[in-house]
Amino acid sequence: MAGTRRHGGGRGRPTLEEVAARAGVGRGTVSRVINGSPRVSDRTRTAVEQAVAELGYVPNRVARALAANRADAVALVIPEPETRLFAEPYFSDIIRGVGAELAETDLQLLLTLIRTPKERQRLADYLSAHRVDGVLLVSVHADDPLPDLLEQIEMPAVLSGRRSAHESVPYVDSDNTGGAQSAVEHLIGRGRSTVATITGPLDMYVAQCRLAGYRAAVRAAGREVDPELVAVADFTEEGGRRAMRRLLDQRPDVDGVFAASDVMAAGARQVLRENGRRVPDDVALVGFEDSAVARHMDPPLTSVRQGTEEMGRAMVRVLLEEIEGPSDRTSKRPQLVLPTQLVRRASS
Amino acid sequence: MAGTRRHGGGRGRPTLEEVAARAGVGRGTVSRVINGSPRVSDRTRTAVEQAVAELGYVPNRVARALAANRADAVALVIPEPETRLFAEPYFSDIIRGVGAELAETDLQLLLTLIRTPKERQRLADYLSAHRVDGVLLVSVHADDPLPDLLEQIEMPAVLSGRRSAHESVPYVDSDNTGGAQSAVEHLIGRGRSTVATITGPLDMYVAQCRLAGYRAAVRAAGREVDPELVAVADFTEEGGRRAMRRLLDQRPDVDGVFAASDVMAAGARQVLRENGRRVPDDVALVGFEDSAVARHMDPPLTSVRQGTEEMGRAMVRVLLEEIEGPSDRTSKRPQLVLPTQLVRRASS
DNA sequence: ATCACAGCTGGGAGCGCTCCCACAGTACCT
DNA sequence: AGGTACTGTGGGAGCGCTCCCAGCTGTGAT
């Protein structure tokens, strides 16, 4: 970082003051017109609007941010290494949703990838240095200090997913338990008698929920939950492969598998093929997330759709509310759980 | 958009002034220390640094931006509808690269998705309203006015890919022609006698280049370029399917296919399966991009790796140079072409 | 001792806005 | 006629920095 950074655009961009002069009014009045205040007479408003148009005036957002003590921007924080592993499509879908919803406001989107603890530290500084009005946190781990830290400095924040069943911070989550349950019910409904599950790491709440859904569905069918049919993995493709091998090894009679993520389902599918098991004829397979991976598998994967893009949109809506008027521990926090939906394809 | 937007963080964040008071020096001196100016005595520097530490001072970037007339931020502009269609993984890989490279500077990343012409208009305003120091443009169409517009307002910009062979603006591109050529040479080298190609829309320069590479390889093998073996598509999966059907219809003897994108290869693969053609036994298949799609296909897809993440990094490096000291039409523009590499998998 | 010229330092001016207070004008009551 | 209550409006103050110009030191040459 060195040297003189030239400003990009308008050398001689018109300022508020110039607009005021041209319209023959004061600065305050122009400001009111720009910000849509109702306390301006129609005649004045028209005059100002004309001057704005003639001069091609565009408010300087930096000056506005400084004067008004706000940033007109929100940050989307993405912990990078993990995201890469298990949630590729998730990540871009969230961005899409967030971007779409934000486009309808005049807020800007600051993207922050975190790779190292050092960067996480810098992040806290950034955020408190008034660059953003609020923060969206994606795929937060149970032990992540960031949410509480943000709470301390009174920075509005919304999580995607919960850290635990008693999440204290505003969040938007999808119905992991219900989604998993419907997936397993579907497998059982298709006549599968020995339905296994491949889970995510159980220190993640999302993995716990999907496992709980599996259990609920098994019990609802009047069966016992067999520990040999539960293989713990880590949301990666390789993890899915290992888990499937173990399953095949311990319970060769398995005829249905619910994987807690599409990527793990893809890994499982490879192992099934290697072992000469046909999908869905010998083993029916269902995933979770309904990402691009699911559509591209052979056969296409039945999966639990969680509407990731809609989650992104919802996060923004919640965040805007928090920015407008923050909730606190005493009031009811905005916490949303979005429905999921089973998308049936040829794998089951 | 209404109401009072609360500032997020520091109610009582310390200011430069307070640091100066505590260190017993003037504002200017603190500013010099913060910005690493050499014109400060060691004693003073130490005193200031201590005051900074004690107070937990973090410079207000907004104030800095206003005073210094720079933004400490760059924008990554992504035209959304197209990106969704043909370059899902491309898009997130670029972001990854850009984010990584930017992390080593103190620049922030502003993500801007463009969906409509109206949003494109607003974008020009944003950019000229001093919110960013430079712009990264992804997947720019041949007729996109934005690059020239940015040039007019002297906003540093870098493209990913070229609009044409005579691109005037700084860019980072991958060796599309060479990559395509090596893919087709590979197919021919594997003994395939009737090698077809599925191209992107030919009004895109990237598609032209990949077709040119196909042609070059065919000719280099001493063969004629048969128009019936060239199927024009649009970088989508459905386009890939349609093109493959046409190819199979017109030239049932086809035994090798080079698709100009992984996604189109995926579409082609489906049609091949429907028609009972085995991959690679009956038809060898190669894609372009080496995205996640390629790895997840069955069989895994041989593809031309273009190092998308590295492209993102390179774009940032070029942009930083442009911001430091802009090149103009008379000087030599920084224009980079990154090498590609064939990644062999089971599909060929 | 005098001058020149460095190396450091303090602080005024100003970036382009918003906020808010004061005040003019009009209308409507006693 | 005087009061009260608005609506509209102008412009000072200030957000927290950077820039830059003086001024203040100390050193070495004259």
Side-chain angles (χ1 to χ4, degrees):
Chain A
M1 281 328 340
T4 320
R5 188 164 301 139
R6 284 185 350 105
H7 60 290
R11 175 91 36 190
R13 287 219 147 259
T15 68
L16 230 201
E17 192 107 34
E18 296 175 57
V19 174
R22 175 147 197 144
V25 300
R27 281 195 339 274
T29 303
V30 177
S31 177
R32 261 165 243 135
V33 172
I34 299 296
N35 295 294
S37 156
R39 322 212 139 289
V40 183
S41 70
D42 284 349
R43 239 165 51 84
T44 312
R45 163 167 287 115
T46 309
V48 171
E49 278 165 354
Q50 191 183 334
V52 166
E54 285 170 6
L55 260 33
Y57 170 73
V58 180
N60 183 324
R61 311 189 102 218
V62 177
R64 174 180 292 185
L66 180 60
N69 196 29
R70 57 191 162 93
D72 286 335
V74 302
L76 174 58
V77 177
I78 299 178
E80 226 281 293
E82 297 111 85
T83 312
R84 162 157 241 160
L85 290 181
F86 91 90
E88 275 259 16
Y90 180 78
F91 153 77
S92 44
D93 284 350
I94 284 275
I95 291 187
R96 221 185 293 285
V98 168
E101 192 72 25
L102 238 29
E104 287 157 30
T105 72
D106 63 351
L107 295 180
Q108 298 193 306
L109 175 58
L110 230 60
L111 193 66
T112 317
L113 306 183
I114 303 186
R115 258 160 303 258
T116 64
K118 188 179 138 250
E119 285 180 21
R120 162 167 266 117
Q121 181 48 50
R122 278 182 47 175
L123 174 68
D125 286 348
Y126 271 165
L127 298 182
S128 49
H130 287 277
R131 283 295 285 193
V132 296
D133 297 315
V135 180
L136 301 167
L137 291 171
V138 168
S139 93
V140 177
H141 272 247
D143 58 348
D144 195 320
L146 215 44
D148 298 319
L149 202 143
L150 292 175
E151 179 128 53
Q152 266 175 41
I153 63 173
E154 296 181 58
M155 171 72 75
V158 177
L159 311 185
S160 79
R162 287 167 268 189
R163 287 173 295 172
S164 75
H166 314 92
E167 181 57 75
S168 59
V169 173
Y171 66 79
V172 173
D173 201 354
S174 60
D175 180 11
N176 289 305
T177 310
Q181 184 165 354
S182 69
V184 177
E185 278 168 1
H186 164 72
L187 285 169
I188 292 173
R190 302 283 293 168
R192 304 297 163 155
S193 58
T194 312
V195 178
T197 185
I198 300 176
T199 78
L202 291 182
D203 61 336
M204 289 178 73
Y205 185 63
V206 52
Q208 291 171 27
C209 287
R210 292 178 191 175
L211 175 55
Y214 164 82
R215 287 204 163 109
V218 170
R219 291 216 188 88
R223 306 180 187 175
E224 290 278 301
V225 175
D226 181 346
E228 279 192 346
L229 289 175
V230 175
V232 177
D234 59 358
F235 281 133
T236 70
E237 190 168 343
E238 173 55 25
R241 279 192 287 264
R242 271 201 299 269
M244 193 66 237
R245 276 189 211 105
R246 226 208 63 204
L247 247 22
L248 243 26
D249 198 43
Q250 297 190 340
R251 295 295 304 258
D253 59 325
V254 62
D255 61 0
V257 175
F258 164 62
S261 80
D262 288 349
V263 171
M264 292 196 298
R269 200 270 169 273
Q270 290 163 23
V271 171
L272 287 170
R273 195 194 320 273
E274 285 164 19
N275 286 268
R277 309 283 180 119
R278 290 166 302 167
V279 173
D281 311 56
D282 302 325
V283 179
L285 190 59
V286 178
F288 204 114
E289 196 178 317
D290 191 30
S291 61
V293 171
R295 291 189 294 279
H296 284 127
M297 274 172 62
D298 170 44
L301 182 71
T302 296
S303 187
V304 179
R305 176 170 172 66
Q306 64 174 346
T308 310
E309 191 168 332
E310 175 54 26
M311 280 184 69
R313 303 189 78 116
M315 286 176 73
V316 170
R317 285 194 293 266
V318 171
L319 185 61
L320 290 179
E321 278 171 32
E322 284 292 296
I323 290 172
E324 240 22 85
S327 62
D328 56 29
R329 246 147 318 204
T330 62
S331 64
K332 196 166 151 284
R333 284 285 170 99
Q335 303 187 321
L336 244 59
V337 177
L338 268 34
T340 57
Q341 189 192 343
L342 190 72
V343 179
R344 289 217 39 207
R345 296 204 185 80
S347 75
S348 68
Chain B
M1 285 319 341
T4 321
R5 190 166 297 138
R6 287 187 346 107
H7 61 289
R11 175 92 33 189
R13 286 220 148 258
T15 69
L16 230 202
E17 192 107 34
E18 296 175 57
V19 174
R22 175 150 198 143
V25 300
R27 279 194 341 271
T29 303
V30 178
S31 177
R32 261 166 243 136
V33 172
I34 297 296
N35 294 294
S37 156
R39 325 212 136 288
V40 183
S41 71
D42 284 350
R43 241 166 49 82
T44 311
R45 164 167 286 115
T46 310
V48 170
E49 278 165 353
Q50 192 184 334
V52 166
E54 286 169 5
L55 260 33
Y57 170 73
V58 180
N60 182 324
R61 310 190 102 218
V62 176
R64 173 181 293 184
L66 179 61
N69 196 29
R70 59 192 161 90
D72 286 337
V74 303
L76 174 58
V77 177
I78 300 178
E80 227 279 295
E82 296 110 87
T83 312
R84 161 158 240 159
L85 289 181
F86 90 91
E88 275 259 15
Y90 179 78
F91 153 77
S92 46
D93 285 350
I94 285 274
I95 291 186
R96 224 184 292 284
V98 167
E101 192 73 25
L102 238 29
E104 287 157 31
T105 72
D106 63 351
L107 295 181
Q108 298 194 307
L109 175 57
L110 229 60
L111 193 66
T112 316
L113 306 183
I114 303 186
R115 258 160 303 258
T116 63
K118 186 179 140 248
E119 285 180 19
R120 162 165 266 117
Q121 182 49 50
R122 278 181 46 174
L123 174 69
D125 286 347
Y126 272 164
L127 298 180
S128 49
H130 285 275
R131 283 295 283 194
V132 296
D133 298 313
V135 179
L136 301 167
L137 290 172
V138 168
S139 95
V140 177
H141 272 247
D143 58 347
D144 195 319
L146 216 43
D148 297 318
L149 201 143
L150 292 175
E151 179 128 53
Q152 266 176 42
I153 62 173
E154 295 180 60
M155 170 72 76
V158 177
L159 310 185
S160 79
R162 287 167 267 190
R163 287 172 295 173
S164 75
H166 314 93
E167 182 56 73
S168 58
V169 173
Y171 65 79
V172 174
D173 202 354
S174 60
D175 181 11
N176 289 305
T177 309
Q181 184 165 355
S182 70
V184 176
E185 278 167 1
H186 164 72
L187 285 169
I188 292 173
R190 302 284 293 170
R192 303 297 164 154
S193 59
T194 311
V195 177
T197 186
I198 299 176
T199 78
L202 292 181
D203 61 336
M204 290 179 72
Y205 185 63
V206 52
Q208 291 170 27
C209 287
R210 292 179 189 173
L211 176 55
Y214 165 82
R215 287 204 163 108
V218 170
R219 291 217 187 86
R223 305 181 187 173
E224 290 278 302
V225 175
D226 181 346
E228 278 192 347
L229 289 175
V230 176
V232 177
D234 59 357
F235 280 134
T236 69
E237 191 169 342
E238 173 55 25
R241 278 192 287 265
R242 270 200 300 268
M244 193 66 237
R245 275 189 212 107
R246 225 209 65 203
L247 246 23
L248 244 25
D249 196 43
Q250 298 189 341
R251 296 295 304 255
D253 59 326
V254 63
D255 62 0
V257 174
F258 164 61
S261 81
D262 288 349
V263 170
M264 291 195 299
R269 202 270 169 271
Q270 289 163 23
V271 170
L272 288 170
R273 195 195 318 273
E274 286 164 18
N275 286 268
R277 310 282 180 119
R278 290 164 304 166
V279 173
D281 311 58
D282 301 325
V283 179
L285 190 59
V286 178
F288 204 115
E289 198 180 315
D290 191 29
S291 61
V293 172
R295 291 189 293 281
H296 284 125
M297 273 172 62
D298 170 44
L301 182 71
T302 296
S303 188
V304 179
R305 177 172 171 66
Q306 64 173 347
T308 311
E309 191 168 333
E310 176 53 28
M311 281 186 67
R313 303 187 79 115
M315 287 176 73
V316 170
R317 286 194 291 268
V318 170
L319 185 61
L320 290 179
E321 278 172 31
E322 284 292 295
I323 291 171
E324 245 15 92
S327 63
D328 55 30
R329 248 146 315 202
T330 63
S331 63
K332 196 167 153 286
R333 285 287 171 96
Q335 303 188 320
L336 245 61
V337 176
L338 267 35
T340 57
Q341 190 192 344
L342 190 72
V343 179
R344 287 215 39 207
R345 297 204 183 82
S347 74
S348 68

